Amino acid sequence: MNRARLILSAVKFSRIAFSTRLPPAPPVPLLSQVTSFSHISQSKSHSFNANQRCCFSSSPNSVVELLLGNDWSTELSNQLENTPFLITHETVVYILRKLDHAPDKAWGFYNWVTTRDGFVPSSSLYSLLLRIFADKDSMKKFWITLRKMKEQGFCLDEETYTTLWRLFKKDQMQSDAVALKQFYDRMIQENAMDGVVKKVAGVILEAEWGDEVMKRLEDMKIVLSDNFVIRVLRELKNRPFKALSFFHWVATCEGYKHSTVTYNAMARVLGKEDTMGEFWIIVEEMKSAGYYIDIDSYIKISRHFHKYKMNEESVKFYEFMMDSPFKPSTQDCSLLLRNMSASHKLDLSLVFRVVKKYEATGNVLSKAIYDGLHRSLVNAGSFAEADKILNAMRDAGCEPDNITYSQLVFGLCKAGRFEEASKVLDDMEANGCPPDIKTWTILIQGHCNAGQLEKALMCFGTMMRKDGNADADLVDVLVKGFVDQKKIDGGYTFLVEMINNTHVRPWQATYKHIIESLLGASKLEESMNVLRLMRQHNYPPYPEPIVQYISKYGTVLDAADLLQALSSKQYPSLAAYKNVFEAFFKEGRHSEAQDLLYKCPYHVREHYQIGKLFGSAKNGEAATLANKTVT
């Protein structure tokens, strides 16, 4: 790689229409240390019955430590026999969740626990096991578990099936993906309960809940079980109030009583924006009945809260779970802080509540939690407080690293304090923590977002002089920076030089973005060249905008060049030819389509689909002419 040439290119870009670098800013002042969070506002939290909490103590975590520290053996089984812990659905789910990266240990524990008197597995438990075993090294366990699930009358739910199928496809486990689909389809067809479930759900969905619906359900003589109730609730998940009515009705049926499994299923359905009042009522009802939200339900419900930026509910739910025997992990706390920090209007009191609850349950702040708190402060523009957190981190033996400094750079750029952001990178060098490519990218993106392309390119040149290596993220940021400043030629040239000089492989989205931008500037030849570069990097071609452009403004020769660029083989697919012909017809350019057809190879000209296409177009053109004549 000719690094000198690349640096000169970067400098060249920056000199095209910009001025020199601004002088460095004074360093950010360091304030006094923060050693506690006693100033944090008091938070409201839920409390479990003291006797229940003492009964569990730290037993679930003790079991996890025992399992993680030992290979499965007779001796380990005997140790578990002598370990006093209450075997419940919630406990087993909690332990299995902690073993999700140790499938062999999860397998041993589950086989052991299913031999215990009184323990009955559930469909949600089987779904969790299947997700744990869904990797190449555990497929034997996966298929054994799936068959056992079916034998015990459980049915794989659609959500779990979709998750597993996508995972197999992502990991290129094609044969397992096909086998899973066949198994799932056959399971649905053979499962007699499925028809009853859908019929019950249909009765509930087609009318308002009332005496008539309840009478129809009673007349159906349903055989109730936890598995059946869970499956109906899943069918009604998009109509939570109807699901809740069914849940309450089932509780009045003779001989049936809700369990922790059905309560957890109901909580998952209600954990939505419009039903939070009902959600908390069910949760309190569970607590009164001696049941708990299991950790798998917590994670799934929390994901929904995070997705829809329900920060207040996320924090309240976290506090609730931290008061239970099945506490979220440090990773869960860190994820909660990260998700909240990305909020447009962040309420820092919620962040402090999370950290305070984490500490109150006996945890010591880790590097990840410090980073989460620091990220929230800098994103909110509270840089003085963020600086105190850095000092507290150091006092706790947690040295700031590229992650910590990167989020400070991001916050400063967001606040428009670019000189201070650049100074952070200089300080990192001085402190023996040289900025990595991600930190540089954040600084460069900050300049681009502010419309300061010149300074972004100067930072890029500085990075390259320091032996930095550009990656696809950085290339994407700078290409978009050029495009946003209407410097399409510059973005195109930069992309091509980066590919040729650094052999970076840009993202597919970067290619698509520059193609669309080039066409918007009537740069057809350059967009075709980018299309060829995409093909060299084994990306699927992106001809749609080029076809549309050529059909409106291009020539027959342009269309022929496009077809040649679409494939590394002698000829592109028949579909590619059809797309171009159809685009010409749509624009009313029938003669250009006919001229292109004459240039096509024999197998295309004589293909019946092409003949049919031209016949339809000719009939349509004749009809149009006839209408004009009549008019």
Side-chain angles (χ1 to χ4, degrees):
M1 177 179 68
N2 191 337
R3 186 173 297 279
R5 180 184 172 195
L6 189 62
I7 294 171
L8 287 173
S9 296
V11 175
K12 177 183 69 177
F13 284 126
S14 67
R15 287 177 178 172
I16 289 175
F18 300 102
S19 59
T20 57
R21 182 194 294 267
L22 296 173
V28 179
L30 295 177
L31 302 179
S32 58
Q33 295 184 14
V34 176
T35 56
S36 70
F37 297 96
S38 58
H39 63 285
I40 296 173
S41 59
Q42 294 294 320
S43 62
K44 296 180 181 179
S45 62
H46 296 75
S47 299
F48 278 79
N49 179 278
N51 292 330
Q52 291 175 323
R53 185 163 60 247
C54 292
C55 172
F56 275 85
S57 183
S58 59
S59 294
N61 281 325
S62 300
V63 174
V64 172
E65 291 172 7
L66 180 64
L67 291 167
L68 289 175
N70 298 276
D71 292 330
W72 192 265
S73 63
T74 304
E75 289 76 14
L76 178 58
S77 177
N78 291 335
Q79 279 187 274
L80 285 174
E81 295 280 1
N82 296 322
T83 301
F85 74 100
L86 186 60
I87 299 176
T88 63
H89 166 83
E90 300 96 314
T91 311
V92 175
V93 168
Y94 183 84
I95 293 171
L96 288 173
R97 263 288 183 180
K98 294 289 186 178
L99 301 175
D100 60 359
H101 294 302
D104 288 341
K105 296 179 186 295
W107 176 255
F109 171 72
Y110 187 73
N111 285 330
W112 175 83
V113 81
T114 52
T115 65
R116 304 302 99 185
D117 291 338
F119 180 76
V120 180
S122 65
S123 59
S124 57
L125 209 54
Y126 273 119
S127 295
L128 173 57
L129 279 170
L130 291 172
R131 295 198 301 272
I132 293 173
F133 298 144
D135 69 76
K136 293 179 180 179
D137 297 329
S138 304
M139 288 313 297
K140 183 178 180 180
K141 299 180 181 67
F142 177 90
W143 289 110
I144 291 174
T145 303
L146 190 57
R147 284 193 293 271
K148 187 180 295 185
M149 179 181 186
K150 182 182 177 183
E151 290 168 0
Q152 294 186 2
F154 297 111
C155 190
L156 185 63
D157 64 274
E158 184 179 0
E159 180 184 353
T160 303
Y161 161 72
T162 303
T163 300
L164 296 171
W165 186 84
R166 288 176 177 169
L167 185 61
F168 290 160
K169 297 289 284 187
K170 179 183 176 183
D171 292 343
Q172 298 182 341
M173 299 165 64
Q174 186 63 35
S175 60
D176 288 299
V178 172
L180 178 64
K181 184 179 186 309
Q182 293 173 346
F183 191 98
Y184 178 72
D185 291 342
R186 190 168 60 251
M187 178 184 284
I188 294 297
Q189 292 172 3
E190 296 175 355
N191 195 291
M193 185 188 294
D194 189 62
V196 181
V197 167
K198 291 187 181 301
K199 188 174 181 181
V200 168
V203 168
I204 297 171
L205 290 172
E206 69 186 23
E208 289 297 318
W209 185 270
D211 293 339
E212 180 63 27
V213 172
M214 289 188 283
K215 185 177 186 309
R216 290 180 64 186
L217 292 176
E218 290 169 2
D219 292 343
M220 292 174 69
K221 306 296 182 183
I222 305 167
V223 178
L224 293 173
S225 67
D226 287 353
N227 186 28
F228 181 85
V229 172
I230 290 171
R231 290 178 63 179
V232 173
L233 292 176
R234 284 174 180 157
E235 287 290 323
L236 300 173
K237 64 181 180 181
N238 294 325
R239 302 293 297 275
F241 288 106
K242 287 182 177 288
L244 184 60
S245 296
F246 171 75
F247 183 84
H248 288 318
W249 174 78
V250 166
T252 66
C253 294
E254 185 177 354
Y256 184 79
K257 181 182 179 182
H258 282 301
S259 68
T260 183
V261 178
T262 55
Y263 269 114
N264 271 276
M266 190 67 252
R268 292 188 190 190
V269 172
L270 293 174
K272 308 285 171 39
E273 301 90 323
D274 298 332
T275 50
M276 288 312 303
E278 289 75 14
F279 170 81
W280 285 112
I281 291 173
I282 282 293
V283 170
E284 293 293 343
E285 190 177 313
M286 285 180 70
K287 186 174 71 173
S288 299
Y291 301 134
Y292 300 90
I293 294 285
D294 66 54
I295 197 67
D296 200 42
S297 295
Y298 167 75
I299 291 171
K300 290 185 176 181
I301 295 169
S302 293
R303 283 175 184 164
H304 182 87
F305 290 168
H306 298 333
K307 180 179 179 180
Y308 292 97
K309 308 297 182 185
M310 299 168 64
N311 290 340
E312 177 72 38
E313 299 300 342
S314 293
V315 173
K316 184 178 178 182
F317 197 25
Y318 176 78
E319 291 171 332
F320 180 87
M321 290 299 293
M322 288 297 282
D323 284 331
S324 81
F326 310 106
K327 295 174 175 51
S329 66
T330 297
Q331 290 79 5
D332 294 325
C333 179
S334 177
L335 179 63
L336 174 56
L337 292 173
R338 174 181 290 276
N339 285 322
M340 286 200 298
S341 71
S343 300
H344 179 62
K345 292 183 179 180
L346 177 61
D347 183 351
L348 286 176
S349 68
L350 296 177
V351 176
F352 295 144
R353 278 171 57 182
V354 171
V355 176
K356 181 174 183 179
K357 176 57 71 174
Y358 182 82
E359 282 191 300
T361 52
N363 294 301
V364 176
L365 297 188
S366 65
K367 168 69 165 52
I369 304 303
Y370 274 119
D371 276 337
L373 180 54
H374 179 259
R375 183 184 300 108
S376 297
L377 290 168
V378 297
N379 284 359
S382 300
F383 296 105
E385 290 296 318
D387 204 41
K388 296 177 184 179
I389 296 301
L390 284 182
N391 291 331
M393 284 178 67
R394 294 188 182 98
D395 290 344
C398 303
E399 283 299 317
D401 57 13
N402 266 282
I403 294 174
T404 314
Y405 288 120
S406 291
Q407 55 199 32
L408 176 57
V409 171
F410 176 85
L412 289 168
C413 289
K414 180 181 176 182
R417 296 164 65 169
F418 295 105
E419 293 180 5
E420 294 172 70
S422 296
K423 183 63 169 58
V424 171
L425 274 71
D426 296 336
D427 292 342
M428 291 175 68
E429 292 271 10
N431 293 331
C433 179
D436 61 15
I437 182 66
K438 298 301 181 186
T439 308
W440 279 107
T441 300
I442 290 170
L443 177 61
I444 291 169
Q445 186 171 28
H447 283 299
C448 287
N449 290 344
Q452 300 175 358
L453 182 58
E454 171 226 5
K455 294 179 180 178
L457 289 167
M458 285 184 172
C459 291
F460 171 72
T462 302
M463 184 198 78
M464 297 306 294
R465 284 194 297 272
K466 294 176 179 292
D467 268 346
N469 292 309
D471 63 5
D473 283 331
L474 180 53
V475 170
D476 185 67
V477 165
L478 281 169
V479 167
K480 289 178 179 176
F482 276 106
V483 171
D484 290 344
Q485 292 298 303
K486 309 301 182 186
K487 300 181 180 298
I488 312 301
D489 286 335
Y492 167 74
T493 304
F494 175 78
L495 177 67
V496 173
E497 288 200 12
M498 289 298 295
I499 293 171
N500 293 337
N501 295 333
T502 70
H503 307 294
V504 69
R505 185 175 187 260
W507 298 124
Q508 183 181 16
T510 308
Y511 277 125
K512 289 183 174 182
H513 188 65
I514 194 65
I515 285 174
E516 292 169 356
S517 302
L518 286 166
L519 292 172
S522 300
K523 304 284 184 180
L524 177 61
E525 182 180 348
E526 290 85 350
S527 68
M528 298 266 275
N529 187 39
V530 174
L531 189 69
R532 295 184 186 97
L533 292 172
M534 282 187 79
R535 197 185 69 197
Q536 290 176 16
H537 282 140
N538 297 319
Y539 285 124
Y542 184 53
E544 290 83 358
I546 302 179
V547 170
Q548 186 178 9
Y549 181 90
I550 290 175
S551 70
K552 291 182 178 180
Y553 313 111
T555 65
V556 173
L557 184 58
D558 291 333
D561 288 343
L562 171 62
L563 289 167
Q564 186 177 3
L566 285 177
S567 176
S568 57
K569 301 177 182 179
Q570 187 175 4
Y571 303 113
S573 67
L574 183 68
Y577 286 99
K578 284 186 64 179
N579 288 339
V580 176
F581 289 137
E582 288 171 346
F584 273 130
F585 290 145
K586 185 177 180 181
E587 294 298 326
R589 301 179 68 183
H590 295 260
S591 60
E592 284 84 353
Q594 191 70 52
D595 291 343
L596 178 61
L597 180 63
Y598 292 146
K599 292 179 176 292
C600 292
Y602 177 81
H603 75 278
V604 173
R605 294 198 309 270
E606 297 300 317
H607 199 283
Y608 79 94
Q609 290 187 18
I610 300 299
K612 183 179 178 181
L613 180 65
F614 273 81
S616 299
K618 190 173 295 184
N619 292 335
E621 185 178 20
T624 301
L625 289 172
N627 289 333
K628 287 182 177 179
T629 302
V630 171
T631 303

